[in-house]
Amino acid sequence: MRETVLVQPATGDGLDHRAPRLGVVRAVVEPAFPRQGGDVVERVIPNPQPEDLKRIRREAFEAVVKLGAAPDNVEVTIEVDQSTHRVRATAMGASEMRARQRRDEVGETEAREIAAKAMGVSLERVALAAATPRMRVFQGEVEERSWGIFKKRRSPVRAVDLDGVIRVQRSHSVVRPASARTAIDGLRRLWEDTTIYNGDSTITPDIFVIVGGQLIDLSGVNSIEQAMAVTRGELDGLTADASIALIGIPPSRGL
């Protein structure tokens, strides 16, 4: 197993709401077979199964926590490269020390102001779409015109944590609130609603699942079965009515 570790120190006392979190620890865990002639350890998994992704995600999570990240503030990204069969889980999170020293938690009003400013729209056009105990998801309303005639509407999204840091920001989105009881069914419906079927090809969405303060980035998975397996593992131990936020980014737009 190879672990690549990067400790990124804070660069100031203030928070830049547009930037990634400061003072994070990062771990990349790449389970694999040894590459011939080198000391790099990688894993190539032909046709990775949902349980493979679930296991690798847990390895990355546990690795970054051992490095000092606060468990309730860890973000994990899953990547599956179908052409090379390479599977990677990347985990990032604020350090325990930073978590203990965080400033006063931002309220809903301030978080909404942060989201509106980042979207470049007025407060009146921003609404709370979903929330967990440690993160709020806001959607905006933007109307654009093409050739001065045709109207196009989009719904930008910003997920703001209790530090006032934006954890997800995309130009168009579909947001669904859920509970631990309904999250898997909600995830399946969101996947279907944001997938594009074009003849023989299928373009899958980017999906983010928020559980407490944890952000699960499923934009690198290739099937709903994989996404469900990873998400199901994060729901273990939660009460049935625990709040979950689901964010879908349609592939046609949302970069």
Side-chain angles (χ1 to χ4, degrees):
M1 178 184 297
R2 182 184 72 178
E3 284 187 6
T4 302
V5 180
L6 170 64
V7 179
Q8 183 178 351
T11 57
D13 294 330
L15 281 172
D16 181 353
H17 302 298
R18 299 166 300 173
R21 284 172 295 165
L22 301 175
V24 301
V25 290
R26 178 175 182 267
V28 178
V29 179
E30 297 171 301
F33 58 84
R35 183 180 294 170
Q36 187 174 0
D39 58 358
V40 177
V41 179
E42 298 177 344
R43 175 173 293 174
V44 173
I45 309 177
N47 189 28
Q49 298 302 304
E51 288 304 313
D52 295 323
L53 303 188
K54 182 178 177 180
R55 183 179 63 255
I56 291 171
R57 186 208 176 276
R58 177 53 54 179
E59 286 183 33
F61 176 86
E62 292 176 352
V64 80
V65 169
K66 287 179 181 179
L67 291 171
D72 65 349
N73 212 14
V74 172
E75 172 182 335
V76 180
T77 302
I78 305 292
E79 299 172 85
V80 180
D81 189 327
Q82 289 183 309
S83 61
T84 63
H85 307 295
R86 182 186 180 110
V87 179
R88 172 181 291 180
T90 304
M92 292 193 296
S95 66
E96 286 277 13
M97 181 177 296
R98 178 176 173 82
R100 290 195 299 267
Q101 294 176 345
R102 64 162 53 101
R103 66 192 182 99
D104 292 341
E105 296 175 349
V106 302
E108 182 177 332
T109 299
E110 185 179 357
R112 185 164 165 243
E113 292 172 350
I114 292 169
K117 182 179 180 180
M119 294 177 192
V121 301
S122 63
L123 279 174
E124 294 72 22
R125 290 186 171 272
V126 176
L128 181 66
T132 72
R134 302 204 62 81
M135 207 175 309
R136 301 179 180 92
V137 182
F138 297 91
Q139 273 188 305
E141 295 181 8
V142 176
E143 186 175 283
E144 300 169 331
R145 289 182 178 271
S146 299
W147 304 99
I149 301 174
F150 302 104
K151 292 182 179 180
K152 181 176 66 175
R153 292 183 174 85
R154 60 182 177 87
S155 301
V157 64
R158 300 293 186 271
V160 183
D161 67 16
L162 295 186
D163 285 333
V165 177
I166 295 174
R167 304 282 295 279
V168 178
Q169 54 179 354
R170 295 295 183 92
S171 64
H172 183 59
S173 65
V174 178
V175 179
R176 306 271 173 82
S179 66
R181 180 190 299 110
T182 64
I184 296 301
D185 287 340
L187 175 61
R188 184 190 294 276
R189 289 194 297 270
L190 180 62
W191 184 282
E192 286 297 322
D193 291 345
T194 52
T195 295
I196 291 179
Y197 299 95
N198 185 14
D200 294 333
S201 64
T202 300
I203 308 174
T204 57
D206 290 349
I207 298 289
F208 299 90
V209 178
I210 299 174
V211 180
Q214 292 187 38
L215 175 64
I216 307 163
D217 182 350
L218 300 173
S219 56
V221 305
N222 302 306
S223 72
I224 182 58
E225 288 76 19
Q226 293 174 343
M228 289 169 57
V230 174
T231 302
R232 191 175 284 113
E234 297 308 310
L235 301 178
D236 292 344
L238 296 181
T239 60
D241 60 352
S243 299
I244 309 295
L246 306 173
I247 304 173
I249 311 300
S252 58
R253 54 181 180 174
L255 298 177

